[in-house]
Amino acid sequence: MSSSKWVRLMFGPFGLKPSSVCGVVRGPAGRSSFSWTAVCRHVSVCSARSASYTTVDPGEVKRFQALANKWWDEQGEFAALHAMNDLRVPFVRDNLLTVHRAHHPGKPLAGLRILDVGCGGGVFTEPLGRLGASVLGIDPVEESISVAQLHSSPDPDLRDRVSYHACTLDEAQFDAVVASEVVEHLADLETFAICCNHVLKPGGSLFITTINKTNLSYALAIVIAEQLLRIVPSGTHDWEKFISPVELERLLESNGFSVQSVQGMMYNPVSGAWSWSDSTAINYALHAVKTSDGAEESCTHSVNEPATTHSSAPS
């Protein structure tokens, strides 16, 4: 699958409008689709890179299609994600407030635009909207988007703040991009980093929560959580797609970001609660800030590089 198809999966279902920055092509049934080649048309080598690089794994899309109707079951397969809001929502809020220092009593993120990549059913999107941010949630699984729209539609507090269907990127550069429990499901993190850099304003923030690539994460996230305790459905994670904080920081900083903080996270399967940890051996949260337009540099230097591969055994 090409990078242009990845971006069509990510942006196409939500009715992207044509703009001077983003190319839009017509797909089946007249659906508007986002053209990665057009996004990088100011860097000619990007077209060559986008022809062979992939981001979304079709197998991951199928897996989440089967789970789409379970997003808002707080005791079901996504219980741990609901509980994670206790950490990830204040992590995003507090870091954004250190940058923007806005004063909106009750709505601390008012005036900020946030892109929630891989939003699923909106479990993270909605609380960000309730903090006053204008949030666009995107996801390659259309069934999940339908669930997200249905769940948020009755809430008047979200009606004008949360969207899952439209964005014009030349009018909607974002103050922040959040990608929570997403990068461990992607096939090409470099293309993902380029896309995040492209849609962020200068000085914009990127927030990621993900799983480290260690023996301990393999034992806990896959063997125990999936196979023994069944906290998440079997097959949800692929250890080879996990990435260490060091690797992720290196990748982001080579694509125009400066990593500001990395914080370990720990899940207690007995209490169902998350807590911050001094160790990043299993889960961690990362905050990075866009320092430069990394898209051109990344495309220029990566066009002849093979996709990053990882060893097949835990280390």
Side-chain angles (χ1 to χ4, degrees):
M1 182 187 297
S2 69
S3 291
S4 60
K5 288 183 179 178
W6 170 78
V7 185
R8 285 201 294 274
L9 271 172
M10 274 297 192
F11 292 90
F14 319 114
L16 281 166
K17 301 173 184 177
S19 73
S20 60
V21 176
C22 307
V24 177
V25 295
R26 289 290 169 184
R31 176 179 296 156
S32 296
S33 300
F34 187 91
S35 169
W36 171 249
T37 303
V39 169
C40 287
R41 66 174 179 266
H42 62 290
V43 187
S44 60
V45 293
C46 265
S47 297
R49 185 177 191 275
S50 67
S52 59
Y53 278 65
T54 180
T55 301
V56 165
D57 185 331
E60 300 281 4
V61 173
K62 290 181 180 178
R63 186 172 296 113
F64 282 96
Q65 283 174 333
L67 295 169
N69 65 341
K70 300 180 180 180
W71 278 107
W72 287 96
D73 179 1
E74 296 187 25
Q75 306 303 318
E77 284 87 345
F78 295 113
L81 280 183
H82 284 272
M84 188 184 286
N85 280 349
D86 290 343
L87 294 190
R88 58 184 180 176
V89 172
F91 182 74
V92 170
R93 179 199 63 204
D94 295 347
N95 278 288
L96 285 178
L97 290 180
T98 62
V99 175
H100 297 278
R101 301 186 183 280
H103 299 284
H104 302 280
K107 302 292 181 186
L109 300 186
L112 300 182
R113 305 189 69 113
I114 299 177
L115 177 65
D116 184 3
V117 177
C119 65
V123 172
F124 194 18
T125 320
E126 288 194 11
L128 293 174
R130 291 195 178 91
L131 290 176
S134 174
V135 191
L136 171 66
I138 61 174
D139 196 282
V141 181
E142 293 187 46
E143 291 86 347
S144 294
I145 289 298
S146 297
V147 169
Q149 291 171 329
L150 182 63
H151 191 270
S152 65
S153 60
D155 191 333
D157 198 39
L158 298 176
R159 196 165 295 144
D160 297 327
R161 296 195 186 101
V162 171
S163 172
Y164 298 100
H165 57 276
C167 169
T168 305
L169 293 184
D170 63 340
E171 296 176 0
Q173 287 274 294
F174 295 92
D175 298 287
V177 172
V178 297
S180 185
E181 307 307 291
V182 169
V183 300
E184 67 269 27
H185 300 289
L186 300 180
D188 179 9
L189 293 185
E190 179 117 26
T191 299
F192 171 78
I194 292 171
C195 284
C196 290
N197 182 288
H198 178 78
V199 300
L200 276 171
K201 295 177 181 179
S205 290
L206 172 62
F207 296 94
I208 292 173
T209 68
T210 190
I211 309 175
N212 200 347
K213 190 173 184 180
T214 62
N215 281 325
L216 188 58
S217 70
Y218 180 85
L220 295 181
I222 296 179
V223 176
I224 295 179
E226 291 188 20
Q227 299 172 6
L228 297 180
L229 298 182
R230 307 248 178 216
I231 296 171
V232 293
S234 180
T236 296
H237 296 113
D238 179 351
W239 185 85
E240 293 190 11
K241 291 181 180 178
F242 293 0
I243 184 169
S244 72
V246 172
E247 289 178 291
L248 185 55
E249 182 172 353
R250 185 183 302 119
L251 182 147
L252 292 175
E253 294 197 341
S254 69
N255 285 283
F257 289 95
S258 173
V259 173
Q260 304 296 298
S261 64
V262 178
Q263 180 67 55
M265 306 167 70
M266 184 71 68
Y267 180 69
N268 184 329
V270 177
S271 66
W274 289 86
S275 59
W276 294 115
S277 170
D278 292 334
S279 172
T280 60
I282 308 172
N283 296 80
Y284 62 95
L286 177 148
H287 173 219
V289 170
K290 175 179 175 177
T291 57
S292 65
D293 185 359
E296 180 168 345
E297 293 180 7
S298 297
C299 289
T300 302
H301 294 118
S302 302
V303 64
N304 292 318
E305 296 176 3
T308 302
T309 56
H310 302 288
S311 61
S312 58
S315 60

